[in-house]
């Protein structure tokens, strides 16, 4: 019984989640601009997190405006990795709202960290798994040639994972998530899976990996590639999201 009580405290509830893709190279809703890159606004009860910023500041801010999202409402920024198509709009965003904490992988270029400080925002270096806000977690910096962090949100349906480019490998990221949350379902994975140049065989193995890890819903976009989206669509059926800029996913 004591062990059960302990488990209950470590899993203090969950949070409803609303994800809005605000920057992506896949079109979805008319009136929004598409360009290579990824950014997503993550809304939970009290918090609005911007995950990545996309590349071109003008496009990013125009899309936010069209979607009715005020930059001033954003509490926190999480940058997956330093590539321009994920961080390029940061300076433009911080001009609109410098009152944010910006979480970056520890290995981030010093130049970007200095620019964050100069803009008046607060950079925080991420090394390992951490809870950034209630039920919003970074999986920590996952190394490799291009180190990257991904977000995890504990929703009533299970864990939702948001990836930037998945440079360390999408299955490596999901295995990390599973090791952190061994007893909770991986409900949703959204973002770049970095499979643009993958063969059908490789994509098929990735899908098998998703199924083996029990991933219930998949929303590949950005650098996932058209073939990946097609194959996930076939494998996941109604549990596949054809997501692009302007796409909204609600989990409650
Ligand atoms: Zn990248
Ligand atoms: Zn990218």
């Amino acid at each position: 019984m004591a062990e059960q009580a302990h488990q209950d405290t470590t899993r203090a509830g969950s949070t409803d989640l609303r994800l809005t893709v605000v920057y992506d190279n896949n079109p979805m809703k008319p009136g929004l601009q598409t360009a290579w890159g990824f950014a997503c606004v993550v809304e939970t009860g009290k918090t609005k997190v911007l995950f990545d910023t996309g590349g071109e500041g003008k496009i990013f801010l125009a899309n936010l405006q069209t979607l009715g999202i005020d930059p001033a409402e954003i509490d926190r920024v999480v940058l997956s990795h330093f590539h321009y198509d994920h961080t390029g709009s940061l300076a433009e965003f911080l001009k609109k709202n410098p009152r944010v904490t910006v979480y970056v992988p520890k290995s981030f270029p010093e130049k970007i960290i200095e620019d964050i400080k100069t803009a008046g925002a607060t950079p925080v270096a991420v090394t390992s798994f951490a809870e950034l806000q209630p039920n919003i977690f970074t999986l920590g910096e996952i190394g490799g040639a291009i180190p990257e962090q991904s977000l995890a949100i504990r929703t009533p349906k299970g864990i939702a994972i948001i990836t930037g480019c998945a440079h360390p490998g999408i299955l490596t990221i999901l295995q990390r998530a599973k090791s952190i949350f061994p007893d909770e379902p991986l409900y949703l994975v959204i973002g770049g899976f970095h499979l643009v140049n993958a063969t059908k065989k490789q994509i098929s193995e990735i899908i098998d990996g998703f199924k083996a890890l029990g991933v219930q819903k998949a929303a590949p976009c950005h650098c996932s590639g058209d073939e990946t989206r097609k194959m996930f669509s076939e494998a996941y059926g109604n549990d596949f999201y054809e997501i692009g800029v302007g796409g909204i996913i609600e989990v409650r």
Side-chain angles (χ1 to χ4, degrees), residues 16-236:
D16 289 355
L17 168 66
R18 181 184 163 96
L19 296 166
T20 307
V21 176
V22 296
Y23 201 111
D24 196 67
N25 34 287
N26 297 285
M28 190 171 173
K29 286 199 180 147
L32 296 164
Q33 298 178 54
T34 55
W36 186 257
F38 183 67
C40 175
V41 172
V42 178
E43 292 174 66
T44 64
K46 304 177 196 85
T47 309
K48 269 188 197 173
V49 177
L50 173 64
F51 179 81
D52 286 346
T53 71
E56 298 296 329
K58 268 189 189 157
I59 294 176
F60 172 72
L61 292 177
N63 282 348
L64 280 190
Q65 191 172 24
T66 306
L67 288 162
I69 299 170
D70 183 351
E73 295 166 12
I74 304 282
D75 304 303
R76 277 143 215 277
V77 179
V78 175
L79 299 176
S80 64
H81 67 300
F82 67 85
H83 282 165
Y84 178 80
D85 58 324
H86 297 257
T87 60
S89 305
L90 182 65
E92 296 284 318
F93 171 80
L94 292 178
K95 276 185 209 161
K96 300 274 180 192
N97 178 10
R99 298 168 303 280
V100 288
T101 304
V102 184
Y103 298 93
V104 302
K106 187 171 175 288
S107 62
F108 233 53
E110 197 56 40
K111 168 83 173 76
I112 303 183
I113 293 173
E114 283 307 315
D115 289 348
I116 293 169
K117 286 185 195 161
T118 305
T122 309
V124 172
V126 168
T127 42
S128 50
F129 164 72
E131 189 166 20
L132 305 179
Q133 285 285 285
N135 297 308
I136 303 178
F137 308 85
T138 170
L139 296 180
E141 181 180 62
I142 301 181
I146 301 152
E148 186 163 335
Q149 66 173 332
S150 307
L151 266 190
I153 294 104
R154 180 181 277 138
T155 78
K157 299 265 174 63
I159 302 294
I161 304 287
I162 310 169
T163 63
C165 263
H167 289 291
I170 186 68
L171 290 184
T172 301
I173 292 168
L174 297 184
Q175 281 151 4
R176 170 75 64 95
K178 197 68 204 168
S179 71
I180 292 169
F181 306 102
D183 302 325
E184 298 174 65
L186 295 182
Y187 178 69
L188 165 73
V189 183
I190 177 174
F193 295 0
H194 205 63
L195 296 170
V196 167
N197 297 317
T199 63
K200 284 187 184 185
K201 182 169 177 288
Q202 286 166 330
I203 298 167
S204 171
E205 285 165 5
I206 299 279
I207 291 171
D208 289 347
F210 268 62
K211 296 276 183 181
L213 285 160
V215 176
Q216 293 175 28
K217 294 187 185 272
C221 55
H222 179 38
C223 56
S224 301
D226 291 340
E227 187 63 34
T228 300
R229 283 155 66 92
K230 182 167 165 274
M231 288 175 69
F232 265 91
S233 166
E234 286 161 7
Y236 269 82

